[in-house]
Amino acid sequence: MKPVRVALLGCGVVGTEVVRLLLEQSDDLAARVGAPVELAGIAVRRPDRVREGVPADLLTTDAMGLATRADVDIVVEVIGGIEPARSLIVGALKSGKSVVSANKALLAEDGQTLFAAAREFGVDLYYEASVAGAIPLLRALRESLVGDSIHRVLGIVNGTTNYILDQMDTHGAGFADALAEAQALGYAEADPTADVEAFDAAAKAAILAQLAFHTPVTAADVHREGITEVTAQDVAGAKAMDCVVKILAICERDGDRGVAVRVHPAMIPRSHPLGSVRGAYNAVFVEAESAGSLMFYGAGAGGAPTASAVLGDIVAVARNRVNGASGPVETTYAALPILPMGETVTRYYVQLDVADQAGVLAQVAEEFARHGVSIQAVRQEGSGEDAQLVIVTHRATDAALNATVASLRGHASVREVASVMRVEGDI
């Protein structure tokens, strides 16, 4: 059987691991695919750099030449970023090559261009490794659940921020100390902006929403809040409610009104399965009409887990090439509107430092009522000149809650709005 030849663009941590797996498992892969799978070349910027286990004779600096070469069947892109990755992938697709990518940033920004090129030239574009590492989440949305109606996707999709928040919860660390520890252990980059400001999670949320709801969604459509403003006081407040703070990616369909996609910190009960996700792990719930609630859990990052997802896509695409077929192509037929965050309905935790005097609770409750925000529970603590009110609301729009908080900040009896956080799950 004619070999399936693979070109690799990029050979960093993930790329090196992909090379190792392709070489070490060549016999098994050939049996699973139905034909040998061979490395045709590896495009790198610095060919003189030592890469253990990577054949030096396969290295080249001509990435576009490799991606469009006549003897290449599959192009694997693990460069990351927008350019030159976009041009290389489009060039490969137009040359009739199927593509496997781990590039969440590009797929979230301009996936429609890539999908259109794959569709036009009748080739595959697979990208399981772009979200949640080794967890087979995208394949479930793309294939296993394609006959179902998905209502909601909710989960932890960034291991770095989950590790930081876990340290803050478990050891009482402040954000800066927890981040420093994550960097020392290699969980966080020297520049952690993409993780702690939730750009990484927002890109993944856009990809998940597009697959789940068959609607074009870009990273710019995702409401994004990072964890840099989460304080030890916020975490302690959650503990007092038997909750934990997690940063969640939430994709929801509101009937025919549209789709809401958001990433932000939220309180969830410790009894919730997501509440027990520790360290740098990922976990995602998918709620579907017929399948019900499904949970996907595992390692969400790292060279080996990500390479596992890449290799799974290589095998799937190689099988298609051997059989003269192609896999599913993304559909955006639903084209649902993207709902603004102000219209998104959720519950809230609000902690207020107030004057300890008669009638304060009634005055605060009146402000909530004036903006149409219903209070579910309230707890008052402290004595002397100052007291603390902890309020949990019923479901309300983001716009209504923001208006309430703005009015409370100007209220004579309110010393400070100490904490405002969204709530997911029943507390």
Side-chain angles (χ1 to χ4, degrees):
M1 181 68 71
K2 179 183 174 184
V4 178
R5 292 177 59 78
V6 177
L8 181 65
L9 309 181
C11 198
V13 173
V14 174
T16 300
E17 190 68 17
V18 170
V19 171
R20 182 185 70 80
L21 293 173
L22 283 172
L23 296 178
E24 289 184 0
Q25 300 182 18
S26 59
D27 290 343
D28 286 340
L29 294 175
R32 295 168 191 172
V33 168
V37 179
E38 298 179 353
L39 266 172
I42 305 168
V44 295
R45 286 186 298 174
R46 298 186 295 275
D48 55 340
R49 177 182 165 192
V50 177
R51 297 171 174 85
E52 186 176 350
V54 177
D57 60 321
L58 292 180
L59 300 179
T60 177
T61 57
D62 184 6
M64 185 61 80
L66 177 62
T68 57
R69 218 167 73 188
D71 66 329
V72 167
D73 300 296
I74 302 172
V75 173
V76 178
E77 182 271 316
V78 287
I79 299 171
I82 307 303
E83 288 292 354
R86 173 167 45 200
S87 296
L88 292 169
I89 291 176
V90 171
L93 294 170
K94 288 183 176 180
S95 298
K97 323 299 181 189
S98 291
V99 171
V100 172
S101 176
N103 197 330
K104 55 186 169 287
L106 176 56
L107 288 158
E109 178 172 304
D110 198 18
Q112 294 306 305
T113 296
L114 308 185
F115 301 144
R119 188 179 299 108
E120 179 181 356
F121 294 95
V123 291
D124 288 330
L125 173 61
Y126 278 44
Y127 48 95
E128 183 66 60
S130 65
V131 179
I135 304 171
L137 175 60
L138 301 191
R139 187 165 281 110
L141 293 174
R142 196 182 200 192
E143 299 176 22
S144 302
L145 297 172
V146 71
D148 211 334
S149 295
I150 296 173
H151 302 310
R152 195 175 195 230
V153 181
L154 162 77
I156 298 164
V157 296
N158 183 275
T160 299
T161 49
N162 195 60
Y163 179 85
I164 292 170
L165 291 173
D166 186 35
Q167 290 300 299
M168 293 175 71
D169 175 69
T170 304
H171 302 295
F175 170 76
D177 290 338
L179 171 59
E181 183 173 347
Q183 289 172 319
L185 293 172
Y187 291 134
E189 301 287 345
D191 179 1
T193 304
D195 292 321
V196 300
E197 295 292 357
F199 290 101
D200 174 87
K204 294 170 180 175
I207 294 169
L208 290 171
Q210 179 163 272
L211 277 175
F213 307 126
H214 307 284
T215 290
V217 181
T218 68
D221 296 320
V222 181
H223 174 82
R224 176 186 56 80
E225 297 174 27
I227 64 169
T228 55
E229 300 301 318
V230 176
T231 67
Q233 183 179 11
D234 294 330
V235 174
K239 274 190 172 182
M241 304 284 290
D242 199 27
C243 290
V244 61
V245 178
K246 298 290 186 183
I247 185 165
L248 302 177
I250 304 171
C251 315
E252 297 174 308
R253 176 168 178 171
D254 186 0
D256 292 330
R257 288 187 64 241
V259 171
V261 191
R262 49 197 166 101
V263 174
H264 54 68
M267 281 188 185
I268 58 174
R270 289 185 183 274
S271 59
H272 192 286
L274 291 177
S276 61
V277 177
R278 308 292 298 276
Y281 277 78
N282 286 188
V284 178
F285 272 92
V286 177
E287 298 172 9
E289 180 73 26
S290 299
S293 185
L294 308 171
M295 183 176 176
F296 299 80
Y297 171 84
T306 305
S308 171
V310 169
L311 212 65
D313 279 351
I314 291 173
V315 169
V317 172
R319 284 172 171 169
N320 290 341
R321 301 287 289 202
V322 168
N323 294 320
S326 59
V329 179
E330 274 54 39
T331 58
T332 54
Y333 70 91
L336 295 166
I338 307 299
L339 300 176
M341 187 61 189
E343 296 181 18
T344 298
V345 177
T346 188
R347 297 166 65 217
Y348 293 86
Y349 165 97
V350 182
Q351 182 178 311
L352 305 172
D353 294 334
V354 300
D356 188 12
Q357 58 190 34
V360 170
L361 178 56
Q363 294 170 29
V364 168
E366 183 179 349
E367 289 299 322
F368 276 84
R370 188 162 67 87
H371 293 282
V373 180
S374 175
I375 294 175
Q376 178 185 0
V378 61
R379 186 177 77 243
Q380 182 169 346
E381 299 174 349
S383 60
E385 293 186 0
D386 296 314
Q388 190 177 81
L389 287 179
V390 174
I391 295 170
V392 178
T393 75
H394 286 288
R395 290 173 63 83
T397 66
D398 191 73
L401 194 283
N402 285 339
T404 304
V405 170
S407 68
L408 289 170
R409 286 198 168 103
H411 200 283
S413 299
V414 177
R415 309 280 198 231
E416 182 185 5
V417 180
S419 180
V420 179
M421 190 164 292
R422 294 177 182 86
V423 174
E424 296 294 330
D426 296 325
I427 67 172

